[in-house]
Amino acid sequence: MQKPHPLRFALPLLALLASPAAAAPGDAAPGDAALAKAVLMKGVGFATVKGRGNVPAYAAYLKSVLVEGGFAPGDITITPVGETAILHLAWKGSGKKKPIAVIAHMDVVEADPKDWVRDPFVATQDGDYLFGRGVGDNKFDLSMIVTALVRLKAQGFKPGRDIHVFVSGDEETDGTTAAIQAKEAKALGVEFVLNGDAGGGELDGAGRPVGYSLSGAEKAYGDFHLVVTNPGGHSSRPTYPNAIAELAATIAPITDYRFPAQANEITRASMAAAGAKRSDALGKAMTAFAANPEDAAAIAVLRTDPGTIGQIGTTCVPTMITGGHAPNALPQRAMLTVNCRIFPGVPPESIRKQLEVLANDPAIKVTLEAEWPPAPASPLRPDIMAAVTKAVAPRGVKPVPGMDAGASDSVFYRALGMPSYGVAGLFMRDQDVFIHGLNERIPVSAIAPAVDHWQVLLTELAK
Ligand SMILES: [Zn+2]
């Protein structure tokens, strides 16, 4: 879908570009795509890795783009949080409906230039791809959101409800900034949240769109520690029990245990859609589970595949083990780390208690060391489904709800009762996904339709 574009905004912004690679003439896409590409490429140049203090400057740059695009400076607030920062744009609507929020994050995962083919903090176009840390996660959708807002403003769009854009600054590490913003969103009466850092489309090997996942739920993350301590002593004079042996005895029961199978509206819908596409035993089990989440035969099959075991319940896996301090000393301490991906709505304390039962030894202390707030699955609202269906229709696909095994900023909003939907505009081939890894890249052709994607979403949901 081609819309008239505010080229008058694009030109001065292009002139702001610092990187010579970004300024190469002739490779800019037309219209808003040029602005989106410029904002994305310039954005990669801010190395917004934890501890480097570059997020405030990136936030200031994004604010300058919005102000140049017609937003009042007073409607955009940048608040420092330690060395990072948060950005909040409040676009006042007519108040016909309750406010909504759009979220994304400015920080990126660390990247060591020694390991990359190109400088990770200079966006570089090579053939049909843009390379750079954050060019996908999450500066892509963030730049597309900013561009769509500028385009809507230029077209004279008047929202029928307040649109709050909350951009966080430590999603990849501490998650403290999204927690602050979620509270603010709650106080502002936000009805639901659109997250540009989850969901998204899939391309086949030839680059044709083949599917779109709308993320409506995320499993909670939990690290549990099992610790045994012992007075120790010399290894030539053994005493019992031995701390390492005691801890080791817990590993098999924890590994062999299967938490109860669970389902929600989102996992049933995603199983039904995925099952319909396959004719093998796994596909049949997906279809059977979608129809009846208590089907024991289907559950047994789904538990044998790493792609589906996590979709049907909580999983816990021993991931690290440490113990002992000298080859000739009785161990004074042994510790097992168990990483759990907790099904939405399950309290982490119930998982801790289950691990205690499985350890079956009062000498072993089980503690929850790191967790994300448990967040319920978000209901599949007809207005969201209709808007996303319209946004992805030009690509010839329909949205399929999905549950992620990890966590994004959405959990902080869901935990406070605001449904949140991962509706990223980025479509990728499986083999091009290097998010968090080396040589992160996106196809340049992903840019123009992603701006349209966000424009349709915002127009449909905030008209
Ligand atoms: Zn991200």
Side-chain angles (χ1 to χ4, degrees):
M1 172 176 21
Q2 280 305 314
K3 295 271 195 297
H5 55 76
L7 195 59
R8 64 201 164 91
F9 298 125
L11 292 174
L13 286 162
L14 279 170
L16 285 174
L17 292 176
S19 132
D27 64 359
D32 296 304
L35 173 59
K37 185 180 177 190
V39 172
L40 174 58
M41 292 184 78
K42 171 98 174 166
V44 169
F46 297 89
T48 51
V49 173
K50 180 181 173 170
R52 295 207 205 165
N54 290 329
V55 175
Y58 180 41
Y61 167 67
L62 293 175
K63 178 172 177 173
S64 75
V65 175
L66 289 163
V67 169
E68 197 165 342
F71 287 90
D75 292 342
I76 306 160
T77 315
I78 296 171
T79 311
V81 181
E83 57 95 26
T84 186
I86 49 181
L87 182 149
H88 173 210
L89 162 68
W91 190 0
K92 274 276 163 210
S94 69
K96 204 163 65 187
K97 288 188 256 175
K98 283 189 185 168
I100 60 172
V102 179
I103 64 171
H105 66 87
M106 293 179 277
D107 58 307
V108 294
V109 171
E110 182 61 278
D112 188 342
K114 284 201 305 291
D115 301 334
W116 282 54
V117 175
R118 307 158 192 85
D119 185 340
F121 298 111
V122 177
T124 311
Q125 180 163 354
D126 196 339
D128 298 334
Y129 289 91
L130 278 185
F131 290 82
R133 171 58 87 224
V135 77
D137 183 8
N138 182 220
K139 288 173 177 171
F140 181 85
D141 271 276
L142 177 51
S143 306
M144 304 306 121
I145 291 165
V146 165
T147 306
L149 289 165
V150 166
R151 187 201 271 180
L152 285 167
K153 191 80 172 174
Q155 291 173 352
F157 178 69
K158 299 268 184 281
R161 63 205 312 178
D162 297 356
I163 300 173
H164 292 283
V165 182
F166 287 108
V167 192
S168 66
D170 62 350
E171 193 273 343
E172 301 289 5
T173 52
D174 305 326
T176 55
T177 55
I180 295 167
Q181 294 182 303
K183 276 190 205 126
E184 206 177 332
K186 184 76 183 170
L188 289 162
V190 163
E191 185 178 353
F192 62 80
V193 178
L194 303 175
N195 186 353
D197 187 37
E202 193 191 332
L203 305 174
D204 66 11
R208 289 179 297 252
V210 286
Y212 185 85
S213 168
L214 185 169
S215 174
E218 285 162 331
K219 296 180 89 177
Y221 177 106
D223 285 331
F224 295 86
H225 285 177
L226 280 72
V227 175
V228 196
T229 54
N230 188 289
H234 201 279
S235 61
S236 63
R237 298 162 51 81
T239 55
Y240 301 93
N242 172 292
I244 289 176
E246 265 190 298
L247 186 75
T250 68
I251 296 173
I254 289 171
T255 308
D256 295 343
Y257 182 73
R258 295 291 170 268
F259 285 84
Q262 288 184 271
N264 57 37
E265 180 188 27
I266 287 159
T267 58
R268 286 179 84 160
S270 69
M271 283 280 178
K277 283 191 189 162
R278 328 173 46 125
S279 54
D280 57 358
L282 191 66
K284 290 196 180 79
M286 289 171 161
T287 306
F289 182 85
N292 173 19
E294 283 164 26
D295 184 325
I299 291 167
V301 174
L302 296 173
R303 280 181 175 155
T304 62
D305 189 283
T308 47
I309 184 170
Q311 290 289 310
I312 61 165
T314 296
T315 59
C316 286
V317 183
T319 51
M320 294 172 78
I321 186 162
T322 55
H325 54 284
N328 57 356
L330 296 174
Q332 290 175 348
R333 191 170 189 274
M335 183 175 91
L336 182 71
T337 301
V338 177
N339 178 250
C340 299
R341 302 302 170 108
I342 304 166
F343 203 80
V346 175
E349 173 60 15
S350 71
I351 305 298
R352 195 197 63 77
K353 283 202 173 117
Q354 182 60 42
L355 293 173
E356 217 166 55
V357 169
L358 294 166
N360 193 26
D361 182 344
I364 296 177
K365 299 273 169 287
V366 183
T367 54
L368 174 55
E369 290 301 313
E371 65 166 326
W372 288 82
S378 298
L380 296 176
R381 299 167 53 117
D383 54 348
I384 302 275
M385 292 308 289
V388 179
T389 300
K390 186 165 179 182
V392 301
R395 329 258 199 148
V397 295
K398 288 197 173 78
V400 173
M403 176 175 76
D404 294 322
S408 73
D409 282 344
S410 281
V411 296
F412 298 101
Y413 293 84
R414 291 193 185 116
L416 295 182
M418 291 166 279
S420 184
Y421 303 91
V423 291
L426 181 57
F427 276 64
M428 293 279 281
R429 300 192 311 167
D430 251 4
Q431 60 262 50
D432 292 334
V433 176
F434 291 87
I435 282 166
H436 293 195
L438 283 178
N439 306 319
E440 186 175 344
R441 71 194 67 169
I442 58 106
V444 176
S445 59
I447 294 174
V451 180
D452 291 342
H453 176 91
W454 281 103
Q455 174 165 10
V456 171
L457 287 180
L458 292 172
T459 308
E460 288 299 305
L461 291 167
K463 63 187 170 193

